[in-house]
């Protein structure tokens, strides 16, 4: 909801900006028409009202551009300072033009410097500031490479401009000191403008956006027009109202068009690595051409030559910086693929090599994978210290490398485990290599003044014999290595009949992990009959796995897998969630039942488990007494203190706790008295033999009396016939559960079963 609100707000802001920019564009079009009309009127020597347009049209146009830029500052608050600087620059130029029209329009010769020069020169520092602020909005941090790119391109642009005309203008400046300074100030300011424009565009890179290209185009056009004007003034060929007026107008029109552009989103897009050398190389070649042209020309321009020389030096510095960055990147990549301790390739490198081996296998080649694990390495670490263990690993690496061919890869997977990837070996050759590796490790190592021999277990997998996937070969070699270690065989080749179950077990674990989070778990419910009322008042939820290929699986097929893979906690939470959701559905349909769920060992030692169950109860709106968690006696004995703490918190919240399979584990009256439980579930072994074994009958009777004495409910599991149910009722048992009542059923079928039972009971009554 928050994201939708933000998106709508951004959309409204975009619409408002678009509407504002639309009016700015209309104003820019009107200004352009006004300026063109004034230039045409001036060129035609118009009289009357048109003469007024010719004289004041350009001033009105400049005023309009200044207002336009200021309006952009109001519309686009993010770049407000930059656009205000641009507006101030145009306003300063307007002031100079206005002073020229008022003070010097009727004079044959204009003094230098003049008050008009003060306004015209004011454009430059404000334009510089606007460019800088606009650049800062796009580039938050200027790196050394960005600075050098900007310097190289800017100096090259200035050198080209100086070679073409600006240098000649500086040399042609003559007369009083004030006139010379004024004449020199314009080309110098134009040169600096070229430097800033070239540098800024280079720093921003590709995709600068319409704003930048219109601003840059307008400034370049302004510099070119200014340069041609100065050249014509020096040679006394300037004619007012000519093409130059159009050039200045187009330059300011570009500024106005820049104000009409939508700001470009996102950052810069610059070339990286060796591609970043494109800018300095092109600029350096251009500067070298200028230097060479100056060498051939007797009337060379010293300013252009100086700028070109500095540009070349800056380009060389940028190139050196790029090579340093490339070298640092290569070193960083090497370190990322190298094990710090041994200097061997690491796990990342191994998987890159496995990908390359896949290509070779696809072409019909062969690959052998050998996984090497040092025997008793943990004992070495524990008895001699980790420093000695690390020193051993450093000496192991060169021993193993010495037994390999050029092109074979030895890498450290982690700990004391290494892997060899090699090509062109059959099973016999791979076993021979494994024997050589083991023999090399058995030669004594000198560590801390002692001689230490090391044995190793090596697993071998061959492709394409065992698999055409190199990564799968690594898994197979790992399984074979464990077989070699268990049998102290030194080396073992993967055998599908012997090791395949381990590989399939890995696949099954991943499938079960996906099933827990992917909605493949379903619940069947077995009813629990309350003998005092003759009604089903509770159920036990039993999980099933709806496997996509193997069909419906009972818990025996995957519970042990979940426990060994550390998935039992996630499985329990998923079952509790499903059970409470179904209980909520029954409650909504008017059927109030208690639901029992089995709890795993990992849950009883997890201090967070009570909070998670409470969250699930609150989520489904189920009262705590409607849930019973079943635990086994053996489970309670694993970590009794922590289990008691967890159970106490569950009971404190109102959740029921039952001891499942009572009588078959470590039955103890001491812990039974201390445990916060509400139910005993007597094991089916005793219940099933109740009617045929006096001993079993005595056990059931005594257990029932014990439960009632402790104020506990006794649930008898395994009631397989009516005689057993009647005997339990006669003894005063509380609840029975078994196949005589019903097998575990899906929720919809159990609902039908309960409805049919209630209907039959009503008919009998």
């Amino acid at each position: 909801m928050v994201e939708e609100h933000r998106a709508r707000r951004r959309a409204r802001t975009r619409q408002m900006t678009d509407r504002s920019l639309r009016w700015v564009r209309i104003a820019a079009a009107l200004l352009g028409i006004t300026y063109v009309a004034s230039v045409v009127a001036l060129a035609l020597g118009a009289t009357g009202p048109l003469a007024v347009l010719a004289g004041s049209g350009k001033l009105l146009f400049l005023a309009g551009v200044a207002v336009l830029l200021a309006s952009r500052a109001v519309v686009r608050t993010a770049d407000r300072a930059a656009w205000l600087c641009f507006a101030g620059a145009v306003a300063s130029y307007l002031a100079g033009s206005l002073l020229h029209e008022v003070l010097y329009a009727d004079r044959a010769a204009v003094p230098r410097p003049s008050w008009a020069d003060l306004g015209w020169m004011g454009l430059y520092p404000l334009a510089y500031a606007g460019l800088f602020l606009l650049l800062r909005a796009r580039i938050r941090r200027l790196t050394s490479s960005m600075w050098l790119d900007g310097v190289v391109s800017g100096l090259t642009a200035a050198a080209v401009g100086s070679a073409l005309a600006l240098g000649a203008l500086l040399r042609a400046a003559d007369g009083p000191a004030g006139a010379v300074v004024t004449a020199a100030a314009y080309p110098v300011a134009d040169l600096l403008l070229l430097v800033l424009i070239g540098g800024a565009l280079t720093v921003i890179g590709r995709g600068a956006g319409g704003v930048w290209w219109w601003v840059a185009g307008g400034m370049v056009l302004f510099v070119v027009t200014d340069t041609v004007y100065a050249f014509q003034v020096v040679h006394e060929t300037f004619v007012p109202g000519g093409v130059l007026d159009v050039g200045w107008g187009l330059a300011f029109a570009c500024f106005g068009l820049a104000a009409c552009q939508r700001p470009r989103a996102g950052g810069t897009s610059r070339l990286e690595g060796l591609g970043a050398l494109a800018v300095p190389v092109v600029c350096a070649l251009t500067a070298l051409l200028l230097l060479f042209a100056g060498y051939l020309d007797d009337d060379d321009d010293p300013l252009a030559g100086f700028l070109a020389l500095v540009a070349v030096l800056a380009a060389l510095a940028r190139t050196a910086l790029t090579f340093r960055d490339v070298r640092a990147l290569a070193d960083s990549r090497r370190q990322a693929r190298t094990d710090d301790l041994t200097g061997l390739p690491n796990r990342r490198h191994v998987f890159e090599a496995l990908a390359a081996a896949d290509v070779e296998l696809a072409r019909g080649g062969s690959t052998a994978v050998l996984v090497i694990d040092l025997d008793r390495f943990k004992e070495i670490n524990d008895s001699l210290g980790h420093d000695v263990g690390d020193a051993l690993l450093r000496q192991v690496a060169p021993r193993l490398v010495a037994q390999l061919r050029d092109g074979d890869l030895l890498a450290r997977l982690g700990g004391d485990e290494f892997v060899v990837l090699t090509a062109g070996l059959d099973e016999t050759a791979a076993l021979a290599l494994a024997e050589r590796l083991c023999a090399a490790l058995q030669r004594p190592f000198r560590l801390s003044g002692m001689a230490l021999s090391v044995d190793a277990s090596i697993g071998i997998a061959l492709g394409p014999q065992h698999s055409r996937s190199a990564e799968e070969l690594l898994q197979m070699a790992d399984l074979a290595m464990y077989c070699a270690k268990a049998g102290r065989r030194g080396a073992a080749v993967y055998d599908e009949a012997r090791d395949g179950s381990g590989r399939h077990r890995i696949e099954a674990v991943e499938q079960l992990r996906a099933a827990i989070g992917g909605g493949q778990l379903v619940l069947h419910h077995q009813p629990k009959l309350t003998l005092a009322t003759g009604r089903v008042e509770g159920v036990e939820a039993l999980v099933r796995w709806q496997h996509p290929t193997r069909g419906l699986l009972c818990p025996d097929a995957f519970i042990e897998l979940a426990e060994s893979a550390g998935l039992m906690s996630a499985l329990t939470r998923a079952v509790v969630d499903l059970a409470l959701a179904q209980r909520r559905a029954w409650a909504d349909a008017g059927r109030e039942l208690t639901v029992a769920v089995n709890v795993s060992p990992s849950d009883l030692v997890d201090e967070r488990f009570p909070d998670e169950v409470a969250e699930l109860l609150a989520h489904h709106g189920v009262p705590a007494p409607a849930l019973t968690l079943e635990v086994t006696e053996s489970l309670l004995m694993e970590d009794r203190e922590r289990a008691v703490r967890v159970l106490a918190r569950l009971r404190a919240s109102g959740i029921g706790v039952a001891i499942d399979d009572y009588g078959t584990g470590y039955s103890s009256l001491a812990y039974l008295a201390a445990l916060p439980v509400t139910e005993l579930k007597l094991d089916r072994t005793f219940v099933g033999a109740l009617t045929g074994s006096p001993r079993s009958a005595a056990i059931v009777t005594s257990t029932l009396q014990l439960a009632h004495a402790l104020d506990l409910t006794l649930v008898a599991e395994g009631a397989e016939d009516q005689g057993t149910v009647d005997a339990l009722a006669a003894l005063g048992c509380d609840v029975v559960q078994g196949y005589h009542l019903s097998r575990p059923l899906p929720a919809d079928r159990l609902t039908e079963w309960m409805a049919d039972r209630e209907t039959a009971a009503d008919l009998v009554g």
Side-chain angles (χ1 to χ4, degrees):
M1 184 67 69
V2 174
E3 289 299 325
E4 293 179 1
H5 176 70
R6 290 176 179 173
R8 288 195 297 267
R9 187 171 59 187
R10 286 194 295 268
R12 287 196 299 269
T13 302
R14 250 192 327 268
Q15 292 173 357
M16 292 175 61
T17 301
D18 288 342
R19 285 196 295 268
S20 302
L21 289 177
R22 189 179 303 118
W23 286 109
V24 172
R25 293 186 185 107
I26 294 172
L30 294 175
L31 287 172
I33 294 172
T34 302
Y35 185 79
V36 170
S38 67
V39 171
V40 171
L42 182 63
L44 296 177
T47 59
L50 291 178
V52 176
L53 176 63
S56 60
K58 290 187 293 184
L59 299 178
L60 292 175
F61 171 72
L62 291 173
V65 171
V67 172
L68 199 64
L69 295 171
S71 301
R72 173 56 184 262
V74 174
V75 172
R76 179 66 177 171
T77 58
D79 302 328
R80 176 171 294 169
W83 291 105
L84 287 177
C85 286
F86 288 138
V90 175
S92 180
Y93 194 86
L94 169 63
S97 300
L98 184 60
L99 289 172
H100 183 273
E101 290 293 328
V102 173
L103 300 178
Y104 311 113
D106 298 330
R107 295 191 184 185
V110 179
R112 304 296 295 271
S114 67
W115 291 109
D117 290 317
L118 184 62
W120 289 330
M121 287 300 300
L123 173 142
Y124 292 100
L126 290 169
Y128 301 155
L131 283 172
F132 178 76
L133 292 171
L134 205 60
L135 180 64
R136 283 296 301 273
R138 292 292 299 275
I139 307 293
R140 296 299 180 185
R141 177 176 173 269
L142 289 174
T143 63
S144 299
S145 59
M146 289 180 177
W147 277 110
L148 284 173
D149 281 343
V151 169
V152 170
S153 56
L155 287 174
T156 303
V160 172
S162 178
L164 293 177
L166 295 176
L169 292 177
L170 288 175
R171 293 195 303 274
D174 192 13
V180 171
V181 170
T182 302
Y186 284 101
V188 169
D190 287 334
L191 274 177
L192 184 56
L193 200 56
L194 281 179
V195 169
L196 289 177
I197 285 294
L201 289 177
T202 303
V203 167
I204 293 176
R206 297 169 295 176
V211 169
W212 267 101
W213 290 118
W214 282 112
V215 168
M219 290 190 174
V220 170
L221 188 57
F222 181 85
V223 170
V224 171
T225 305
D226 224 25
T227 303
V228 173
Y229 164 74
F231 187 82
Q232 289 183 357
V233 169
V234 169
H235 294 82
E236 299 180 352
T237 59
F238 173 70
V239 177
V243 178
L244 291 183
D245 285 333
V246 176
W248 278 313
L250 290 177
F252 286 108
C254 288
F255 300 152
L257 289 172
C260 303
Q261 305 303 310
R262 175 190 290 277
R264 184 180 179 84
T268 60
S269 177
R270 307 181 71 246
L271 295 174
E272 300 293 340
L274 292 176
L277 290 175
V279 170
V281 166
V282 171
C283 291
L285 290 176
T286 304
L288 287 173
L289 288 174
L290 289 176
L291 290 174
F292 183 68
Y295 174 77
L296 295 178
D297 188 0
D298 292 337
D299 297 329
D300 61 320
D301 181 3
L303 177 60
F306 173 76
L307 293 172
L309 176 62
V310 177
V312 170
L313 294 176
L316 291 175
R318 177 63 175 92
T319 303
L321 183 62
T322 300
F323 278 119
R324 188 197 69 179
D325 292 342
V326 171
R327 185 170 61 251
L329 178 61
D331 185 59
S332 176
R333 292 192 62 186
R334 181 188 62 79
Q335 292 179 5
R337 299 165 69 245
T338 303
D339 177 57
D340 293 336
L341 180 63
T342 63
L344 294 174
N346 61 9
R347 180 180 291 271
R348 182 196 298 269
H349 194 157
V350 168
F351 281 93
E352 291 176 0
L354 290 174
D358 280 335
V359 177
E360 187 64 26
L361 287 170
R363 293 174 178 171
S366 63
T367 295
V369 179
L370 289 78
V371 173
I372 307 165
D373 188 85
L374 304 183
D375 295 337
R376 299 182 295 106
F377 182 73
K378 185 178 184 300
E379 296 178 16
I380 296 173
N381 268 339
D382 293 343
S383 59
L384 301 179
H386 288 277
D387 291 342
V388 175
D390 290 346
L392 173 62
L393 293 176
R394 284 192 290 267
Q395 293 188 35
V396 162
R399 289 269 188 103
L400 297 178
V401 169
Q403 305 302 318
L404 303 179
R405 306 169 300 177
D406 292 340
D408 293 344
L409 174 69
L410 172 67
R412 183 186 179 208
L413 287 177
D416 61 332
E417 198 169 60
F418 298 82
V419 63
V420 173
L421 270 66
T422 180
L425 298 185
D426 58 13
E427 183 174 327
T428 302
L431 281 170
L433 173 59
E435 291 176 1
R436 293 198 303 272
L437 294 172
C438 287
L441 295 176
Q442 289 169 352
R443 297 198 309 270
F445 293 90
R446 301 298 302 179
L447 297 167
S448 299
M450 69 180 70
L452 185 64
S453 297
V454 178
D455 291 322
S457 299
I458 301 179
I460 303 170
L462 305 170
Q465 176 180 335
H466 297 132
S467 174
R468 291 187 176 276
S469 167
E471 190 169 336
E472 194 171 48
L473 287 175
L474 179 63
Q475 297 175 0
M476 294 175 171
D478 198 47
L479 292 170
M481 181 272 293
Y482 282 109
C483 176
K485 186 177 288 289
R488 297 186 179 277
R489 300 167 55 185
V493 179
Y494 176 81
D495 182 4
E496 178 67 23
R498 182 194 66 213
D499 305 319
S501 60
R503 183 162 65 94
H504 298 319
R505 186 180 182 86
I506 295 173
E507 296 174 357
V509 167
E510 294 307 313
Q511 291 175 352
L512 179 56
R513 193 189 308 275
I516 292 173
Q520 296 178 21
L521 299 181
V522 296
L523 295 185
H524 285 197
H525 302 81
Q526 188 171 33
K528 298 164 67 176
L529 178 67
T530 302
L531 293 175
T533 62
R535 299 179 61 84
V536 173
E537 297 179 358
V539 297
E540 181 180 0
L542 301 168
V543 66
R544 304 288 188 266
W545 179 5
Q546 188 65 55
H547 195 281
T549 58
R550 298 168 59 190
L552 189 67
L553 302 181
C554 290
D556 292 345
F558 59 89
I559 289 297
E560 187 275 331
L561 182 68
E563 289 177 345
S564 62
L567 297 177
M568 201 61 201
S569 294
L571 179 62
T572 301
R573 285 155 180 74
V575 172
V576 172
D577 187 34
L578 291 172
L580 293 179
Q582 181 57 53
R583 200 277 178 189
R584 176 74 266 167
W586 277 325
D588 292 341
R591 190 178 295 277
E592 297 291 339
L593 297 171
T594 60
V595 179
V597 177
N598 291 284
V599 176
S600 70
S602 56
D603 294 317
L604 278 193
V605 295
D606 187 354
E607 302 281 359
R608 299 170 299 178
F609 181 61
D611 295 329
E612 294 172 350
V613 174
E615 290 177 2
L616 291 173
L617 287 167
H619 174 71
H620 292 288
V622 174
L627 175 64
T628 299
L629 300 178
E630 298 185 1
V631 299
T632 62
E633 294 179 84
S634 58
L635 186 154
L636 290 171
M637 298 302 293
E638 292 184 5
D639 190 343
R640 179 176 169 181
E641 291 185 3
R642 186 179 298 183
V644 169
R645 287 201 305 271
V646 172
L647 290 177
R649 290 180 57 194
L650 291 169
R651 281 296 303 129
S653 65
I655 297 170
V657 176
I659 297 180
D660 198 11
D661 301 331
Y662 181 76
T664 61
Y666 305 92
S667 300
S668 168
L669 296 180
Y671 85 75
L672 184 60
L675 288 176
V677 298
T678 57
E679 290 183 9
L680 291 183
K681 294 193 71 173
L682 187 61
D683 188 72
R684 66 185 65 248
T685 303
F686 307 108
V687 175
L690 172 64
T691 58
S693 170
R695 287 178 176 269
S696 295
I699 291 174
V700 173
T701 302
S702 61
T703 304
L704 178 61
Q705 292 172 349
L706 174 64
H708 288 171
L710 295 175
D711 197 23
L712 303 178
T713 299
L714 183 69
V715 179
E717 291 185 287
E720 308 297 337
D721 53 61
Q722 186 61 43
T724 301
V725 174
D726 293 340
L728 289 169
L731 291 174
C733 183
D734 300 303
V735 179
V736 296
Q737 177 182 346
Y739 282 4
H740 175 67
L741 294 176
S742 172
R743 291 178 175 271
L745 298 173
D748 54 347
R749 290 178 56 192
L750 180 63
T751 301
E752 295 176 1
W753 179 89
M754 288 188 291
D756 293 342
R757 180 181 175 84
E758 291 167 357
T759 300
D762 292 340
L763 291 175
V764 172

